[in-house]
Structure formats: structure tokens, C-alpha cells
Amino acid sequence: MNKSKTQNFHLYEPQRALQGHKAQIYVAKFNFDGQYLLTGSQDRSIILWNPYKETQLKQYFGAHNYEVQDLDILQDNSKFASCGGDKIAFLWDVATGQVIKKFGPHSTRINCVGIGGEQSILATGGYDCEVKIWDLKDKKQNQPIQRIKNFQDSVTQISFFHHNMIVSSIDGHIRTFDLRKGVIQEDFVKAGILKFSSSFDDRLFALSCNDSIIRILEKSSGTILAALQGSHISNQYSINCEFSWNDGMLLTGSEDGKLLIYDILTGKCQITRKLHDKCLSSISLSKQQNAFVTASYDNVALLWMEQS
């Protein structure tokens, strides 16, 4: 790891408070260019924000009968997918607020969604230990084009990178599926993986596990390079983590509402801030490299920016 990588997060402070949900927020995600933000909540709604202006632009509701657990957004910002306790995933039109298509069902709740394959496929992962892949371009077909049952426990996150689909599970495995070659790479840790993040240089995974340890895994070798622990609590709830823009730091939340920022090289927690009253469940970094958002079970999302 590059020792010269530093980032002064000590200068970041909450600049905007996004208040619109009536219940805890499970997920917050910036869109592809970092201009707008989506949040999903236990109140069964999704809100589109201009976080820099502290403005609620649109609220999406009526489709979900249960909580919204995860979101993913098309790169052209025209559509997004959502999932939760309904056993069905939904594809929404951003402008009209209408559901374009439904995907499912899974036999239990859907924990995660991911859009990939040059924005042509949607993957859904559930508590039923299964991933289903759907064709986004086929408007009539409502059956999955592929079902993957490699998992021994709940599927917790799906992300795409180029032609790879990366999937984590409570069974302790992070699996990389090469969709072109049909090859699977599996790495195992001795804890359930709740969420994961890939470094911007694509060399590392950060695995947020249910034993309150974040394991830094080298992708090429499967070697655990560091174990970040001692400052955050992550046992009961699913909390994500994110690499800083230069890959030198790792941001994560905690069940006690704290924001923790670890130095990956030393493994030490450099910054601890508590601005949320309840579990800090989700973190999202803007690709503009100027801001990040924390969302919480206290129903509020905070926009953090560097103080001038």
C-alpha cells in the first residue's frame, strides 16, 4: 500500500441535514456523477435529493409494502432499482416516479441489488441464499436468465466491476464471478460478511464482518493484509464501509451511531465522530471527491464537506 496516501478528513464537517424519512434509513447512494443522492428507508419510500442544496426533489412510494433495503442506479441516471422485504425488486423511472418493471419473486426478502453487464442486467440476492440475474432490456420476460445457488447462507451485497459480478454472503465467502469466462474466484474469512467495498485502484476488498472486524483483503492473492477493529460495533445490523478517494483511509459506521475513519496502512482509527443518535447504517462517497453522506436509523442523512 502506498504510504504517501493521506487524506485530511479532520476538516470535514456535516454541512446539510437531509430530513424527510419517517423511519430509519437503511441505504444512501450517490448517483454516478455524484450530483444527486437516493435514500431508502423502513418507511417503504425512496427519496431523491440534491444534498448540496438540502432539497428533496422527489419521493418514490407505493410499490414497496415493506422496508427498502438496497438501491442501485443506472449510470445514465434515468432509472434505479430497489429491493427489500417484499421478495420482489423494482425498476423505477427517475423522472416519472413510475415502476417500469418488477423482478421476482425470491422465496424470502431480497437483501441487495446490483446493475451491471454494461447496464443490461440486474442481479438480486436474498435471504434465500440465491442470486438471480435478470435481463433489463427484455421488457416482457419476467423470469431470471440465470440462477446461482453457490451460497450456504444469506446473500448480503452484489456489485459489478467491468465483466465481474462480486457477491458477499454470511457464509464468509466473497465470490467473484467472471461472467465472460464463467470462472468463479472464492475467498473465505472466518466471519459473516455484511458488506464490502472495492478500492478505487481495484487491488483491495474491505470486508465488513459481523464480528465487528473489517478485513482488508488483497484481491490477487486472497491474503488478509489488515484487520480494522476495536472502535466500531457491527454485530446486529448491516453497515457498509467505503474506501477514501485515494484508498488510504476507510470510512465505516457503527451501531452506536459513530462515524469511524481508519488508516489502512497502520490499522488505527484516526477519527471518531458521533453526530447520529442511532446506528449509522450507510455511507456513500461522491465521485466528485468533495463530499460524503452518512445515513442513520435516526431517520436523518448528513452531508459532510470540507470546511473552507
Side-chain angles (χ1 to χ4, degrees), residues 94-141:
V94 170
T96 66
Q98 299 298 309
V99 171
I100 301 170
K101 194 172 180 181
K102 301 177 182 180
F103 303 90
H106 280 252
S107 60
T108 57
R109 75 167 188 248
I110 302 177
N111 296 324
C112 50
V113 290
I115 295 171
E118 298 180 344
Q119 307 292 285
S120 64
I121 59 174
L122 172 72
T124 56
Y127 196 72
D128 56 6
C129 314
E130 185 175 1
V131 168
K132 296 183 179 183
I133 300 177
W134 313 82
D135 187 346
L136 287 177
K137 294 184 177 180
D138 190 335
K139 296 181 179 180
K140 296 181 180 179
Q141 178 62 262

mmCIF file of all heavy atoms in Angstrom, residues 94-141:
data_model
loop_
_atom_site.group_PDB
_atom_site.id
_atom_site.type_symbol
_atom_site.label_atom_id
_atom_site.label_comp_id
_atom_site.label_asym_id
_atom_site.label_seq_id
_atom_site.Cartn_x
_atom_site.Cartn_y
_atom_site.Cartn_z
ATOM 1 N N VAL A 94 -36.761 7.454 -13.026
ATOM 2 C CA VAL A 94 -36.430 8.558 -12.126
ATOM 3 C C VAL A 94 -37.351 9.755 -12.355
ATOM 4 O O VAL A 94 -37.859 10.362 -11.412
ATOM 5 C CB VAL A 94 -34.952 8.979 -12.297
ATOM 6 C CG1 VAL A 94 -34.663 10.277 -11.543
ATOM 7 C CG2 VAL A 94 -34.030 7.871 -11.794
ATOM 8 N N ALA A 95 -37.584 10.115 -13.610
ATOM 9 C CA ALA A 95 -38.333 11.329 -13.927
ATOM 10 C C ALA A 95 -39.812 11.222 -13.580
ATOM 11 O O ALA A 95 -40.392 12.131 -12.980
ATOM 12 C CB ALA A 95 -38.165 11.669 -15.413
ATOM 13 N N THR A 96 -40.447 10.093 -13.938
ATOM 14 C CA THR A 96 -41.893 9.959 -13.736
ATOM 15 C C THR A 96 -42.259 9.407 -12.371
ATOM 16 O O THR A 96 -43.396 9.582 -11.915
ATOM 17 C CB THR A 96 -42.501 9.042 -14.809
ATOM 18 O OG1 THR A 96 -42.001 7.702 -14.624
ATOM 19 C CG2 THR A 96 -42.155 9.539 -16.207
ATOM 20 N N GLY A 97 -41.313 8.711 -11.732
ATOM 21 C CA GLY A 97 -41.609 8.087 -10.452
ATOM 22 C C GLY A 97 -42.399 6.804 -10.562
ATOM 23 O O GLY A 97 -42.878 6.270 -9.557
ATOM 24 N N GLN A 98 -42.531 6.285 -11.782
ATOM 25 C CA GLN A 98 -43.305 5.067 -12.014
ATOM 26 C C GLN A 98 -42.418 3.829 -11.999
ATOM 27 O O GLN A 98 -41.253 3.878 -12.386
ATOM 28 C CB GLN A 98 -44.036 5.153 -13.362
ATOM 29 C CG GLN A 98 -45.011 6.305 -13.456
ATOM 30 C CD GLN A 98 -46.125 6.206 -12.430
ATOM 31 O OE1 GLN A 98 -46.782 5.179 -12.311
ATOM 32 N NE2 GLN A 98 -46.331 7.286 -11.677
ATOM 33 N N VAL A 99 -42.997 2.705 -11.561
ATOM 34 C CA VAL A 99 -42.309 1.421 -11.647
ATOM 35 C C VAL A 99 -42.397 0.915 -13.075
ATOM 36 O O VAL A 99 -43.488 0.787 -13.637
ATOM 37 C CB VAL A 99 -42.918 0.392 -10.677
ATOM 38 C CG1 VAL A 99 -42.337 -0.991 -10.929
ATOM 39 C CG2 VAL A 99 -42.673 0.818 -9.240
ATOM 40 N N ILE A 100 -41.236 0.629 -13.664
ATOM 41 C CA ILE A 100 -41.174 0.149 -15.047
ATOM 42 C C ILE A 100 -41.351 -1.355 -15.111
ATOM 43 O O ILE A 100 -42.023 -1.888 -15.990
ATOM 44 C CB ILE A 100 -39.839 0.550 -15.690
ATOM 45 C CG1 ILE A 100 -39.670 2.064 -15.677
ATOM 46 C CG2 ILE A 100 -39.733 0.011 -17.115
ATOM 47 C CD1 ILE A 100 -38.281 2.510 -16.081
ATOM 48 N N LYS A 101 -40.733 -2.043 -14.147
ATOM 49 C CA LYS A 101 -40.764 -3.499 -14.180
ATOM 50 C C LYS A 101 -40.524 -4.055 -12.783
ATOM 51 O O LYS A 101 -39.851 -3.429 -11.958
ATOM 52 C CB LYS A 101 -39.701 -4.034 -15.145
ATOM 53 C CG LYS A 101 -39.860 -5.498 -15.520
ATOM 54 C CD LYS A 101 -38.886 -5.910 -16.618
ATOM 55 C CE LYS A 101 -39.082 -7.377 -16.974
ATOM 56 N NZ LYS A 101 -38.134 -7.822 -18.031
ATOM 57 N N LYS A 102 -41.087 -5.249 -12.541
ATOM 58 C CA LYS A 102 -40.872 -5.963 -11.295
ATOM 59 C C LYS A 102 -40.048 -7.223 -11.570
ATOM 60 O O LYS A 102 -40.187 -7.839 -12.629
ATOM 61 C CB LYS A 102 -42.213 -6.343 -10.658
ATOM 62 C CG LYS A 102 -43.117 -5.168 -10.340
ATOM 63 C CD LYS A 102 -44.446 -5.641 -9.777
ATOM 64 C CE LYS A 102 -45.377 -4.470 -9.506
ATOM 65 N NZ LYS A 102 -46.691 -4.926 -8.955
ATOM 66 N N PHE A 103 -39.231 -7.607 -10.593
ATOM 67 C CA PHE A 103 -38.372 -8.779 -10.743
ATOM 68 C C PHE A 103 -38.534 -9.666 -9.515
ATOM 69 O O PHE A 103 -38.304 -9.243 -8.394
ATOM 70 C CB PHE A 103 -36.909 -8.358 -10.884
ATOM 71 C CG PHE A 103 -36.649 -7.424 -12.026
ATOM 72 C CD1 PHE A 103 -36.735 -6.050 -11.835
ATOM 73 C CD2 PHE A 103 -36.346 -7.902 -13.287
ATOM 74 C CE1 PHE A 103 -36.494 -5.182 -12.879
ATOM 75 C CE2 PHE A 103 -36.117 -7.040 -14.338
ATOM 76 C CZ PHE A 103 -36.186 -5.679 -14.143
ATOM 77 N N GLY A 104 -38.912 -10.911 -9.760
ATOM 78 C CA GLY A 104 -39.078 -11.842 -8.660
ATOM 79 C C GLY A 104 -40.191 -12.833 -8.955
ATOM 80 O O GLY A 104 -40.663 -12.941 -10.097
ATOM 81 N N PRO A 105 -40.567 -13.551 -7.892
ATOM 82 C CA PRO A 105 -40.124 -13.316 -6.524
ATOM 83 C C PRO A 105 -38.958 -14.203 -6.107
ATOM 84 O O PRO A 105 -38.706 -15.239 -6.715
ATOM 85 C CB PRO A 105 -41.363 -13.693 -5.714
ATOM 86 C CG PRO A 105 -41.978 -14.825 -6.505
ATOM 87 C CD PRO A 105 -41.717 -14.492 -7.951
ATOM 88 N N HIS A 106 -38.257 -13.786 -5.034
ATOM 89 C CA HIS A 106 -37.441 -14.682 -4.236
ATOM 90 C C HIS A 106 -38.363 -15.337 -3.211
ATOM 91 O O HIS A 106 -39.487 -14.879 -2.983
ATOM 92 C CB HIS A 106 -36.331 -13.914 -3.518
ATOM 93 C CG HIS A 106 -35.154 -13.598 -4.384
ATOM 94 N ND1 HIS A 106 -33.944 -14.234 -4.249
ATOM 95 C CD2 HIS A 106 -34.988 -12.711 -5.390
ATOM 96 C CE1 HIS A 106 -33.079 -13.748 -5.131
ATOM 97 N NE2 HIS A 106 -33.696 -12.820 -5.839
ATOM 98 N N SER A 107 -37.889 -16.390 -2.582
ATOM 99 C CA SER A 107 -38.722 -17.078 -1.594
ATOM 100 C C SER A 107 -38.750 -16.352 -0.258
ATOM 101 O O SER A 107 -39.626 -16.604 0.579
ATOM 102 C CB SER A 107 -38.236 -18.515 -1.394
ATOM 103 O OG SER A 107 -36.898 -18.533 -0.944
ATOM 104 N N THR A 108 -37.776 -15.457 -0.054
ATOM 105 C CA THR A 108 -37.728 -14.633 1.158
ATOM 106 C C THR A 108 -37.368 -13.211 0.741
ATOM 107 O O THR A 108 -37.313 -12.900 -0.449
ATOM 108 C CB THR A 108 -36.679 -15.160 2.152
ATOM 109 O OG1 THR A 108 -35.404 -15.198 1.501
ATOM 110 C CG2 THR A 108 -37.028 -16.567 2.635
ATOM 111 N N ARG A 109 -37.082 -12.354 1.717
ATOM 112 C CA ARG A 109 -36.770 -10.964 1.408
ATOM 113 C C ARG A 109 -35.511 -10.866 0.552
ATOM 114 O O ARG A 109 -34.616 -11.708 0.608
ATOM 115 C CB ARG A 109 -36.606 -10.141 2.689
ATOM 116 C CG ARG A 109 -35.302 -10.397 3.434
ATOM 117 C CD ARG A 109 -35.073 -9.318 4.493
ATOM 118 N NE ARG A 109 -33.757 -9.451 5.065
ATOM 119 C CZ ARG A 109 -33.508 -9.823 6.321
ATOM 120 N NH1 ARG A 109 -34.512 -10.127 7.117
ATOM 121 N NH2 ARG A 109 -32.273 -9.908 6.763
ATOM 122 N N ILE A 110 -35.442 -9.795 -0.230
ATOM 123 C CA ILE A 110 -34.260 -9.520 -1.053
ATOM 124 C C ILE A 110 -33.395 -8.518 -0.307
ATOM 125 O O ILE A 110 -33.842 -7.437 0.074
ATOM 126 C CB ILE A 110 -34.665 -8.964 -2.437
ATOM 127 C CG1 ILE A 110 -35.577 -9.959 -3.155
ATOM 128 C CG2 ILE A 110 -33.423 -8.685 -3.280
ATOM 129 C CD1 ILE A 110 -36.091 -9.450 -4.495
ATOM 130 N N ASN A 111 -32.135 -8.893 -0.104
ATOM 131 C CA ASN A 111 -31.216 -8.039 0.647
ATOM 132 C C ASN A 111 -30.496 -7.016 -0.211
ATOM 133 O O ASN A 111 -30.121 -5.948 0.283
ATOM 134 C CB ASN A 111 -30.154 -8.896 1.347
ATOM 135 C CG ASN A 111 -30.738 -9.821 2.389
ATOM 136 O OD1 ASN A 111 -31.684 -9.464 3.075
ATOM 137 N ND2 ASN A 111 -30.171 -11.024 2.501
ATOM 138 N N CYS A 112 -30.269 -7.342 -1.497
ATOM 139 C CA CYS A 112 -29.375 -6.499 -2.283
ATOM 140 C C CYS A 112 -29.694 -6.585 -3.770
ATOM 141 O O CYS A 112 -30.228 -7.582 -4.260
ATOM 142 C CB CYS A 112 -27.909 -6.885 -2.040
ATOM 143 S SG CYS A 112 -27.562 -8.649 -2.198
ATOM 144 N N VAL A 113 -29.354 -5.506 -4.466
ATOM 145 C CA VAL A 113 -29.473 -5.441 -5.923
ATOM 146 C C VAL A 113 -28.181 -4.878 -6.500
ATOM 147 O O VAL A 113 -27.455 -4.134 -5.839
ATOM 148 C CB VAL A 113 -30.657 -4.555 -6.366
ATOM 149 C CG1 VAL A 113 -31.983 -5.208 -6.048
ATOM 150 C CG2 VAL A 113 -30.571 -3.168 -5.735
ATOM 151 N N GLY A 114 -27.888 -5.242 -7.743
ATOM 152 C CA GLY A 114 -26.734 -4.694 -8.441
ATOM 153 C C GLY A 114 -27.007 -4.637 -9.927
ATOM 154 O O GLY A 114 -27.597 -5.568 -10.498
ATOM 155 N N ILE A 115 -26.601 -3.550 -10.569
ATOM 156 C CA ILE A 115 -26.788 -3.369 -12.012
ATOM 157 C C ILE A 115 -25.430 -3.474 -12.687
ATOM 158 O O ILE A 115 -24.464 -2.837 -12.267
ATOM 159 C CB ILE A 115 -27.443 -2.012 -12.312
ATOM 160 C CG1 ILE A 115 -28.856 -1.967 -11.734
ATOM 161 C CG2 ILE A 115 -27.478 -1.744 -13.825
ATOM 162 C CD1 ILE A 115 -29.500 -0.591 -11.781
ATOM 163 N N GLY A 116 -25.344 -4.289 -13.730
ATOM 164 C CA GLY A 116 -24.063 -4.487 -14.415
ATOM 165 C C GLY A 116 -24.255 -4.960 -15.834
ATOM 166 O O GLY A 116 -25.312 -4.745 -16.435
ATOM 167 N N GLY A 117 -23.220 -5.639 -16.365
ATOM 168 C CA GLY A 117 -23.292 -6.140 -17.732
ATOM 169 C C GLY A 117 -23.527 -5.032 -18.721
ATOM 170 O O GLY A 117 -24.407 -5.140 -19.583
ATOM 171 N N GLU A 118 -22.736 -3.941 -18.612
ATOM 172 C CA GLU A 118 -22.928 -2.752 -19.446
ATOM 173 C C GLU A 118 -24.342 -2.208 -19.287
ATOM 174 O O GLU A 118 -24.987 -1.803 -20.252
ATOM 175 C CB GLU A 118 -22.585 -3.056 -20.910
ATOM 176 C CG GLU A 118 -21.131 -3.464 -21.102
ATOM 177 C CD GLU A 118 -20.782 -3.769 -22.545
ATOM 178 O OE1 GLU A 118 -21.722 -3.954 -23.358
ATOM 179 O OE2 GLU A 118 -19.580 -3.824 -22.852
ATOM 180 N N GLN A 119 -24.807 -2.245 -18.028
ATOM 181 C CA GLN A 119 -26.126 -1.707 -17.654
ATOM 182 C C GLN A 119 -27.286 -2.490 -18.260
ATOM 183 O O GLN A 119 -28.400 -1.978 -18.380
ATOM 184 C CB GLN A 119 -26.234 -0.227 -18.042
ATOM 185 C CG GLN A 119 -25.099 0.639 -17.524
ATOM 186 C CD GLN A 119 -25.119 0.776 -16.019
ATOM 187 O OE1 GLN A 119 -25.945 1.497 -15.464
ATOM 188 N NE2 GLN A 119 -24.209 0.082 -15.335
ATOM 189 N N SER A 120 -27.035 -3.748 -18.607
ATOM 190 C CA SER A 120 -28.069 -4.546 -19.270
ATOM 191 C C SER A 120 -28.678 -5.609 -18.377
ATOM 192 O O SER A 120 -29.684 -6.220 -18.737
ATOM 193 C CB SER A 120 -27.493 -5.217 -20.520
ATOM 194 O OG SER A 120 -26.465 -6.138 -20.162
ATOM 195 N N ILE A 121 -28.073 -5.867 -17.201
ATOM 196 C CA ILE A 121 -28.605 -6.905 -16.324
ATOM 197 C C ILE A 121 -28.761 -6.377 -14.902
ATOM 198 O O ILE A 121 -28.065 -5.465 -14.470
ATOM 199 C CB ILE A 121 -27.726 -8.173 -16.319
ATOM 200 C CG1 ILE A 121 -26.295 -7.847 -15.855
ATOM 201 C CG2 ILE A 121 -27.733 -8.839 -17.675
ATOM 202 C CD1 ILE A 121 -25.418 -9.084 -15.698
ATOM 203 N N LEU A 122 -29.702 -6.986 -14.201
ATOM 204 C CA LEU A 122 -29.935 -6.718 -12.783
ATOM 205 C C LEU A 122 -29.743 -8.022 -12.032
ATOM 206 O O LEU A 122 -30.260 -9.067 -12.448
ATOM 207 C CB LEU A 122 -31.355 -6.199 -12.558
ATOM 208 C CG LEU A 122 -31.791 -6.055 -11.095
ATOM 209 C CD1 LEU A 122 -31.090 -4.886 -10.437
ATOM 210 C CD2 LEU A 122 -33.312 -5.904 -10.991
ATOM 211 N N ALA A 123 -28.983 -7.972 -10.943
ATOM 212 C CA ALA A 123 -28.823 -9.134 -10.077
ATOM 213 C C ALA A 123 -29.482 -8.843 -8.735
ATOM 214 O O ALA A 123 -29.362 -7.745 -8.194
ATOM 215 C CB ALA A 123 -27.350 -9.470 -9.887
ATOM 216 N N THR A 124 -30.189 -9.839 -8.209
ATOM 217 C CA THR A 124 -30.841 -9.732 -6.909
ATOM 218 C C THR A 124 -30.336 -10.849 -6.011
ATOM 219 O O THR A 124 -30.187 -11.991 -6.448
ATOM 220 C CB THR A 124 -32.377 -9.811 -7.036
ATOM 221 O OG1 THR A 124 -32.731 -11.027 -7.720
ATOM 222 C CG2 THR A 124 -32.922 -8.626 -7.823
ATOM 223 N N GLY A 125 -30.069 -10.529 -4.753
ATOM 224 C CA GLY A 125 -29.592 -11.524 -3.801
ATOM 225 C C GLY A 125 -30.446 -11.521 -2.565
ATOM 226 O O GLY A 125 -30.828 -10.454 -2.054
ATOM 227 N N GLY A 126 -30.755 -12.717 -2.057
ATOM 228 C CA GLY A 126 -31.732 -12.783 -0.991
ATOM 229 C C GLY A 126 -31.317 -13.562 0.235
ATOM 230 O O GLY A 126 -30.260 -14.198 0.297
ATOM 231 N N TYR A 127 -32.201 -13.490 1.195
ATOM 232 C CA TYR A 127 -32.087 -14.277 2.415
ATOM 233 C C TYR A 127 -32.231 -15.762 2.108
ATOM 234 O O TYR A 127 -31.909 -16.612 2.931
ATOM 235 C CB TYR A 127 -33.170 -13.810 3.387
ATOM 236 C CG TYR A 127 -32.983 -14.232 4.816
ATOM 237 C CD1 TYR A 127 -31.986 -13.662 5.611
ATOM 238 C CD2 TYR A 127 -33.820 -15.185 5.404
ATOM 239 C CE1 TYR A 127 -31.814 -14.039 6.935
ATOM 240 C CE2 TYR A 127 -33.662 -15.558 6.726
ATOM 241 C CZ TYR A 127 -32.653 -14.995 7.477
ATOM 242 O OH TYR A 127 -32.488 -15.370 8.790
ATOM 243 N N ASP A 128 -32.719 -16.076 0.899
ATOM 244 C CA ASP A 128 -32.906 -17.462 0.467
ATOM 245 C C ASP A 128 -31.625 -18.084 -0.080
ATOM 246 O O ASP A 128 -31.662 -19.157 -0.689
ATOM 247 C CB ASP A 128 -34.016 -17.551 -0.580
ATOM 248 C CG ASP A 128 -33.770 -16.653 -1.794
ATOM 249 O OD1 ASP A 128 -32.686 -16.035 -1.877
ATOM 250 O OD2 ASP A 128 -34.664 -16.559 -2.658
ATOM 251 N N CYS A 129 -30.479 -17.406 0.095
ATOM 252 C CA CYS A 129 -29.160 -17.940 -0.289
ATOM 253 C C CYS A 129 -29.031 -18.108 -1.799
ATOM 254 O O CYS A 129 -28.344 -19.021 -2.286
ATOM 255 C CB CYS A 129 -28.864 -19.277 0.398
ATOM 256 S SG CYS A 129 -29.240 -19.319 2.157
ATOM 257 N N GLU A 130 -29.632 -17.208 -2.554
ATOM 258 C CA GLU A 130 -29.637 -17.327 -4.008
ATOM 259 C C GLU A 130 -29.464 -15.963 -4.665
ATOM 260 O O GLU A 130 -29.925 -14.948 -4.145
ATOM 261 C CB GLU A 130 -30.959 -17.964 -4.472
ATOM 262 C CG GLU A 130 -31.033 -18.239 -5.957
ATOM 263 C CD GLU A 130 -32.303 -18.972 -6.371
ATOM 264 O OE1 GLU A 130 -33.153 -19.252 -5.482
ATOM 265 O OE2 GLU A 130 -32.457 -19.263 -7.558
ATOM 266 N N VAL A 131 -28.772 -15.966 -5.820
ATOM 267 C CA VAL A 131 -28.682 -14.790 -6.685
ATOM 268 C C VAL A 131 -29.425 -15.095 -7.976
ATOM 269 O O VAL A 131 -29.241 -16.164 -8.579
ATOM 270 C CB VAL A 131 -27.217 -14.415 -6.980
ATOM 271 C CG1 VAL A 131 -27.135 -13.385 -8.108
ATOM 272 C CG2 VAL A 131 -26.535 -13.867 -5.733
ATOM 273 N N LYS A 132 -30.259 -14.147 -8.386
ATOM 274 C CA LYS A 132 -30.963 -14.266 -9.659
ATOM 275 C C LYS A 132 -30.537 -13.116 -10.558
ATOM 276 O O LYS A 132 -30.414 -11.975 -10.099
ATOM 277 C CB LYS A 132 -32.482 -14.249 -9.459
ATOM 278 C CG LYS A 132 -33.000 -15.436 -8.651
ATOM 279 C CD LYS A 132 -34.529 -15.420 -8.536
ATOM 280 C CE LYS A 132 -35.017 -16.630 -7.743
ATOM 281 N NZ LYS A 132 -36.497 -16.700 -7.669
ATOM 282 N N ILE A 133 -30.299 -13.424 -11.831
ATOM 283 C CA ILE A 133 -29.874 -12.423 -12.808
ATOM 284 C C ILE A 133 -31.000 -12.228 -13.818
ATOM 285 O O ILE A 133 -31.545 -13.202 -14.365
ATOM 286 C CB ILE A 133 -28.566 -12.848 -13.505
ATOM 287 C CG1 ILE A 133 -27.451 -13.014 -12.460
ATOM 288 C CG2 ILE A 133 -28.151 -11.825 -14.554
ATOM 289 C CD1 ILE A 133 -26.133 -13.491 -13.027
ATOM 290 N N TRP A 134 -31.312 -10.944 -14.080
ATOM 291 C CA TRP A 134 -32.453 -10.577 -14.912
ATOM 292 C C TRP A 134 -31.987 -9.700 -16.072
ATOM 293 O O TRP A 134 -31.065 -8.902 -15.933
ATOM 294 C CB TRP A 134 -33.489 -9.805 -14.095
ATOM 295 C CG TRP A 134 -33.816 -10.413 -12.777
ATOM 296 C CD1 TRP A 134 -33.108 -10.286 -11.616
ATOM 297 C CD2 TRP A 134 -34.929 -11.254 -12.469
ATOM 298 N NE1 TRP A 134 -33.717 -10.990 -10.601
ATOM 299 C CE2 TRP A 134 -34.840 -11.599 -11.092
ATOM 300 C CE3 TRP A 134 -36.003 -11.742 -13.218
ATOM 301 C CZ2 TRP A 134 -35.766 -12.404 -10.457
ATOM 302 C CZ3 TRP A 134 -36.934 -12.545 -12.579
ATOM 303 C CH2 TRP A 134 -36.819 -12.871 -11.228
ATOM 304 N N ASP A 135 -32.667 -9.839 -17.206
ATOM 305 C CA ASP A 135 -32.379 -9.044 -18.398
ATOM 306 C C ASP A 135 -33.163 -7.732 -18.326
ATOM 307 O O ASP A 135 -34.393 -7.731 -18.373
ATOM 308 C CB ASP A 135 -32.762 -9.830 -19.656
ATOM 309 C CG ASP A 135 -32.332 -9.141 -20.940
ATOM 310 O OD1 ASP A 135 -31.985 -7.943 -20.900
ATOM 311 O OD2 ASP A 135 -32.341 -9.799 -21.988
ATOM 312 N N LEU A 136 -32.448 -6.610 -18.202
ATOM 313 C CA LEU A 136 -33.123 -5.319 -18.109
ATOM 314 C C LEU A 136 -33.702 -4.855 -19.440
ATOM 315 O O LEU A 136 -34.618 -4.045 -19.479
ATOM 316 C CB LEU A 136 -32.152 -4.260 -17.583
ATOM 317 C CG LEU A 136 -31.790 -4.325 -16.100
ATOM 318 C CD1 LEU A 136 -30.758 -3.247 -15.767
ATOM 319 C CD2 LEU A 136 -33.019 -4.164 -15.221
ATOM 320 N N LYS A 137 -33.160 -5.352 -20.531
ATOM 321 C CA LYS A 137 -33.589 -4.875 -21.845
ATOM 322 C C LYS A 137 -34.830 -5.592 -22.350
ATOM 323 O O LYS A 137 -35.532 -5.069 -23.218
ATOM 324 C CB LYS A 137 -32.439 -5.028 -22.844
ATOM 325 C CG LYS A 137 -31.252 -4.122 -22.540
ATOM 326 C CD LYS A 137 -30.179 -4.225 -23.606
ATOM 327 C CE LYS A 137 -29.035 -3.255 -23.332
ATOM 328 N NZ LYS A 137 -27.969 -3.347 -24.367
ATOM 329 N N ASP A 138 -35.088 -6.770 -21.829
ATOM 330 C CA ASP A 138 -36.262 -7.531 -22.246
ATOM 331 C C ASP A 138 -37.447 -7.103 -21.385
ATOM 332 O O ASP A 138 -37.568 -7.471 -20.222
ATOM 333 C CB ASP A 138 -36.003 -9.033 -22.100
ATOM 334 C CG ASP A 138 -37.093 -9.876 -22.751
ATOM 335 O OD1 ASP A 138 -38.231 -9.377 -22.894
ATOM 336 O OD2 ASP A 138 -36.809 -11.026 -23.128
ATOM 337 N N LYS A 139 -38.322 -6.314 -21.953
ATOM 338 C CA LYS A 139 -39.438 -5.742 -21.197
ATOM 339 C C LYS A 139 -40.529 -6.768 -20.887
ATOM 340 O O LYS A 139 -41.324 -6.579 -19.971
ATOM 341 C CB LYS A 139 -40.031 -4.554 -21.955
ATOM 342 C CG LYS A 139 -39.063 -3.393 -22.121
ATOM 343 C CD LYS A 139 -39.706 -2.231 -22.845
ATOM 344 C CE LYS A 139 -38.726 -1.073 -22.989
ATOM 345 N NZ LYS A 139 -39.330 0.083 -23.706
ATOM 346 N N LYS A 140 -40.590 -7.864 -21.648
ATOM 347 C CA LYS A 140 -41.656 -8.837 -21.475
ATOM 348 C C LYS A 140 -41.261 -9.987 -20.562
ATOM 349 O O LYS A 140 -42.080 -10.512 -19.821
ATOM 350 C CB LYS A 140 -42.103 -9.378 -22.836
ATOM 351 C CG LYS A 140 -42.708 -8.325 -23.747
ATOM 352 C CD LYS A 140 -43.151 -8.931 -25.069
ATOM 353 C CE LYS A 140 -43.762 -7.873 -25.986
ATOM 354 N NZ LYS A 140 -44.186 -8.452 -27.283
ATOM 355 N N GLN A 141 -39.996 -10.387 -20.621
ATOM 356 C CA GLN A 141 -39.551 -11.544 -19.865
ATOM 357 C C GLN A 141 -39.508 -11.229 -18.370
ATOM 358 O O GLN A 141 -38.925 -10.245 -17.947
ATOM 359 C CB GLN A 141 -38.151 -11.965 -20.331
ATOM 360 C CG GLN A 141 -37.556 -13.146 -19.579
ATOM 361 C CD GLN A 141 -38.374 -14.418 -19.730
ATOM 362 O OE1 GLN A 141 -39.160 -14.751 -18.856
ATOM 363 N NE2 GLN A 141 -38.201 -15.082 -20.851
#
